[in-house]
């Protein structure tokens, strides 16, 4: 477990190509400060879980990260071996022993509790505590009322300062800003049960539609700041999904219109072009508008900003697809939020990037 008093950002990142590429291309100095929460899922067309693990290791090698077995999402269907392997990790028998044994040999994986079977909770905590890496637990909003009790149960086996409770609002909107008081009360209950633990507050307000949208406030950041102001002295850690959505969009309708996004510490700027058949030209136009906008920070040199610059320079190997655009946006956003409370440090990025 990382020293949770030194952690400022716990992004929830799924094992998908754009998210792991964004993580991989962060400066090493940034990776050393980050504490990702990664949810396992099948990797595109990979047959085995080992491929998933190799992608995680490639993106974030030899550093501690929280790993969650997750639940099957709407897009996770199939009978490939990887699906069966994930099912085995989620089997609750004997305190989710398969999950424990999976984690046992992977020393940089900080375990996240599985909450699907409350009857196996105490045994699972006992097993995971024996790893000596601390424990994280993520609660969707409908389970917030159980968080204090689970935290207290973890505290029977694990030192409080090695416990990270994640309150996950999942997909959110501006309405999130009305929930600061109830969230404060939930956190107070958790801290009453385990005073030394860290509580991470997470959400994603990244929009679903861009037809008439050119910008949006990062509501989850303002929400976190409001809650933090009400709980001075508590170890609260900001979390989001790295500017990815909490919910996957349904397929169909063809590729989305070419778009380049920029992230500042509190805003997203969206530069969308109508697809009239020449998508390379559309990405060039979007990137050109992006670097000439108030959202552009010419002093921020990370892989994502380099990709936008290369696209605006006519490099047809830069942003040429929605996946590449998403990876660039997430990479910039991770850097911005990681150094939110230390803004000058985000510019210390003397790194080389790969072009593939």
């Amino acid at each position: 477990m990382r020293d949770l008093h030194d952690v400022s950002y716990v992004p929830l990142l799924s094992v998908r190509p754009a998210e792991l590429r964004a993580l991989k291309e962060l400066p090493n100095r940034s990776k050393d400060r980050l504490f990702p929460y990664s949810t396992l899922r099948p990797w595109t067309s990979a047959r085995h879980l080992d491929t998933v693990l190799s992608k995680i290791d490639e993106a974030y090698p030899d550093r501690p990260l929280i790993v969650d077995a997750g639940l099957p999402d709407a897009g996770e269907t199939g009978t490939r071996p990887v699906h069966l392997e994930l099912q085995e990790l989620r089997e609750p028998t004997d305190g989710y022993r398969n999950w424990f044994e999976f984690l046992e040999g992977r020393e940089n994986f900080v375990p996240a509790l599985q909450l699907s079977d409350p009857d196996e909770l105490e045994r699972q905590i006992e097993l995971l505590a024996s790893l000596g890496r601390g424990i994280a637990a993520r609660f969707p909003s409908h389970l917030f009322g159980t968080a204090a009790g689970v935290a207290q149960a973890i505290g029977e086996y694990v030192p409080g300062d090695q416990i990270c409770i994640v309150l996950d609002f999942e997909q959110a909107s501006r309405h999130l800003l009305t929930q600061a008081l109830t969230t404060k009360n939930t956190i107070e209950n958790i801290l009453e049960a385990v005073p030394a633990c860290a509580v991470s507050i997470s959400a994603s307000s990244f929009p679903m539609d861009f037809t008439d949208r050119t910008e949006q406030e990062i509501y989850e950041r303002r929400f976190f700041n409001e809650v933090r102001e009400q709980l001075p002295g508590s170890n609260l850690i900001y979390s989001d999904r790295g500017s990815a959505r909490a919910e996957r969009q349904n397929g169909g309708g063809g590729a989305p219109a070419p778009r380049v996004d920029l992230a500042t510490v509190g805003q997203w700027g969206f530069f969308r072009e109508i697809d009239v058949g020449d998508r390379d030209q559309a990405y060039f136009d979007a990137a050109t508008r992006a670097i000439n906008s108030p959202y552009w920070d010419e002093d921020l040199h990370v892989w994502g900003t380099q990709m936008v610059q290369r696209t605006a320079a006519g490099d047809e190997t830069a942003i040429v697809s929605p996946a590449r655009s998403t990876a660039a946006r997430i990479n910039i956003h991770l850097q911005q939020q990681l150094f939110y409370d230390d803004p000058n440090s985000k510019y210390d990025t003397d790194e080389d990037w790969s072009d593939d």
Side-chain angles (χ1 to χ4, degrees):
M1 174 67 84
R2 292 277 304 277
D3 183 343
L4 293 173
H5 289 284
D6 293 336
V7 174
S8 63
Y9 187 25
V10 177
L12 308 187
L13 299 175
S14 181
V15 183
R16 293 191 174 98
E19 292 169 68
L20 288 191
R21 180 64 187 273
L23 179 62
K24 174 185 176 182
E25 299 294 351
L26 277 179
N28 284 319
R29 178 172 172 271
S30 299
K31 291 181 186 180
D32 291 340
R33 289 183 56 153
L34 202 64
F35 194 28
Y37 186 117
S38 184
T39 300
L40 299 178
R41 62 177 307 280
W43 175 268
T44 59
S45 61
R47 290 185 54 78
H48 292 280
L49 188 58
D50 282 347
T51 300
V52 177
L53 301 178
S54 68
K55 295 297 182 182
I56 294 174
D57 185 60
E58 180 183 343
Y60 198 72
D62 303 322
R63 296 174 176 88
L65 74 162
I66 301 168
V67 178
D68 189 333
L71 294 171
D73 62 31
E76 187 184 318
T77 58
T79 57
R80 283 178 283 146
V82 65
H83 295 104
L84 302 178
E85 291 166 348
L86 286 169
Q87 288 176 23
E88 290 177 357
L89 296 184
R90 298 163 182 157
E91 167 59 48
T93 303
D94 190 19
Y96 295 85
R97 177 165 284 277
N98 291 343
W99 178 231
F100 163 73
E101 292 179 351
F102 166 82
L103 293 163
E104 195 172 21
R106 296 170 173 85
E107 295 182 358
N108 63 317
F109 284 8
V110 174
L113 279 182
Q114 298 191 55
L115 302 173
S116 299
D117 190 339
D119 291 338
E120 296 295 334
L121 182 66
E122 183 173 359
R123 176 58 175 156
Q124 182 187 185
I125 292 171
E126 181 182 16
L127 287 171
L128 297 183
S130 71
L131 297 173
R133 302 174 202 162
I135 291 178
R138 178 166 62 100
F139 297 83
S141 56
H142 69 277
L143 292 179
F144 282 3
T146 68
V150 173
Q152 186 170 26
I154 300 172
E156 297 294 324
Y157 293 89
V158 176
D161 61 359
Q162 296 180 23
I163 300 171
C164 183
I165 301 297
V166 181
L167 301 179
D168 185 7
F169 286 88
E170 301 176 283
Q171 195 66 35
S173 66
R174 187 185 180 88
H175 178 70
L176 179 66
L177 302 174
T178 69
Q179 301 184 59
L181 180 59
T182 56
T183 304
K184 170 181 176 286
N185 294 337
T186 298
I187 294 171
E188 286 177 330
N189 291 336
I190 294 169
L191 296 179
E192 182 178 353
V194 187
C197 81
V199 179
S200 185
I201 306 170
S202 190
S204 175
S205 63
F206 194 76
M208 295 287 189
D209 179 74
F210 299 89
T211 303
D212 299 310
R213 194 187 305 267
T214 60
E215 62 183 10
Q216 181 178 296
E217 182 179 357
I218 301 176
Y219 296 124
E220 52 267 43
R221 171 51 82 172
R222 186 177 8 147
F223 176 69
F224 175 82
N225 290 346
E226 290 180 4
V227 175
R228 180 167 59 174
E229 287 177 4
Q230 298 180 47
L231 292 165
S234 303
N235 189 15
L236 304 186
I237 304 174
Y238 177 71
S239 176
D240 60 25
R241 281 176 168 75
S243 79
R245 300 178 185 88
E247 300 170 0
R248 297 189 69 186
Q249 290 184 297
N250 294 328
R259 199 182 76 246
V260 169
D261 306 322
L262 293 179
T264 68
V265 294
Q267 291 276 137
W268 290 298
F270 309 118
F271 304 88
R272 183 176 181 268
E273 296 289 328
I274 302 299
D275 184 0
V276 293
D278 188 343
R279 293 181 66 84
D280 288 345
Q281 179 66 42
Y283 278 116
F284 168 82
D285 292 341
T288 300
R289 288 198 294 122
I291 64 174
N292 288 310
S293 76
Y295 292 97
W296 183 253
D297 185 344
E298 62 181 10
D299 296 320
L300 183 63
H301 302 298
V302 291
W303 176 81
T305 56
Q306 183 201 43
M307 292 294 288
V308 176
Q309 287 177 307
R310 286 172 48 194
T311 306
D315 185 342
E316 296 182 359
T317 67
I319 297 177
V320 295
S321 66
R324 188 66 65 89
S325 177
T326 298
R329 178 190 74 238
I330 293 174
N331 179 263
I332 297 168
H333 179 84
L334 291 175
Q335 184 75 4
Q336 293 277 19
Q337 295 304 323
L338 179 60
F339 294 99
Y340 183 90
D341 293 317
D342 184 16
N344 290 331
S345 293
K346 70 185 175 187
Y347 298 111
D348 185 6
T349 60
D350 185 16
E351 296 279 330
D352 294 322
W353 301 281
S354 57
D355 294 336
D356 58 344

